[in-house]
Amino acid sequence: MDSGTHPAAAERGGALLDPSEDPSARTALPGGLLAESAGVGGAVAAAGAEGGPEQDAQAGGADAEDPPPEPVFKNVEEFVRLRFLPVYVRAEGGQFRWCKEWWRHAEAVSRFQALWHAWEVLRWEPGTGMAIWYRDHLDFQMSILLGDTGPFRECTSRRHQDPRPLPAEPSPEGWFEDEW
């Protein structure tokens, strides 16, 4: 996909941003948690450069001076809003749940971020890259994310319900041996 024609890129005049360049751009999850990884830019660049410039030059491919590919989406919110929601349409109700404030659910944000990062990397795999993304990533996550026992189980598309973590009592002092 030509990043210059994508709506996300068009919003920024064709330039895509890499959130890993600025640590403050890391996705903050509800409760002040930080996302599992700082960004997807490095993984996308590595995936696009698979085989290296020498192999590209021998195959008559991209010039060794070409810049590495950039992510299509600048953050997980953009991935959900511009890719996930318009493409993966489901009727709400029954076995499918959704929350219009999906970003308030730490589990959902974590799962969407994993989907986004995998999508950004696998879109560069020739042949079956996207099929693998669907089979190994999206299809597995959809039933969890949108399922009636998933992170949106108490929400509707019109009403958010704060998730309630499972209760836990602290263990007695010395119960667990420190491992680090």
Side-chain angles (χ1 to χ4, degrees):
M1 171 181 284
D2 178 5
S3 63
T5 62
H6 193 278
E11 289 177 9
R12 291 180 297 283
L16 291 171
L17 304 177
D18 181 359
S20 66
E21 293 174 3
D22 178 7
S24 67
R26 291 184 70 178
T27 304
L29 301 175
L33 300 172
L34 288 179
E36 281 84 6
S37 62
V40 71
V44 170
E50 197 96 353
E54 290 176 11
Q55 185 177 356
D56 287 344
Q58 291 173 357
D63 184 66
E65 300 299 316
D66 285 348
E70 295 186 21
V72 172
F73 303 103
K74 67 179 181 178
N75 58 44
V76 69
E77 189 269 339
E78 200 171 79
F79 172 77
V80 170
R81 188 171 45 85
L82 298 176
R83 174 72 185 187
F84 182 82
L85 292 176
V87 174
Y88 312 107
V89 178
R90 300 290 186 272
E92 184 185 13
Q95 65 181 0
F96 296 111
R97 303 282 190 267
W98 180 249
C99 181
K100 66 181 179 179
E101 296 180 34
W102 62 269
W103 37 267
R104 292 189 183 270
H105 299 265
E107 178 185 357
V109 170
S110 179
R111 289 178 182 279
F112 277 128
Q113 187 163 37
L115 284 170
W116 166 49
H117 286 198
W119 183 88
E120 289 283 6
V121 171
L122 288 171
R123 71 188 176 94
W124 288 100
E125 289 294 320
T128 61
M130 290 311 296
I132 290 169
W133 182 78
Y134 276 100
R135 183 194 67 203
D136 293 352
H137 302 278
L138 182 69
D139 292 346
F140 177 78
Q141 295 293 351
M142 287 287 275
S143 62
I144 296 169
L145 274 166
L146 304 180
D148 55 6
T149 61
F152 308 131
R153 66 188 164 277
E154 296 180 33
C155 298
T156 71
S157 62
R158 292 169 285 296
R159 179 188 55 81
H160 166 74
Q161 175 66 46
D162 281 331
R164 292 179 297 238
L166 297 171
E169 292 288 328
S171 63
E173 186 69 33
W175 189 268
F176 293 101
E177 186 176 309
D178 291 342
E179 295 182 34
W180 302 107

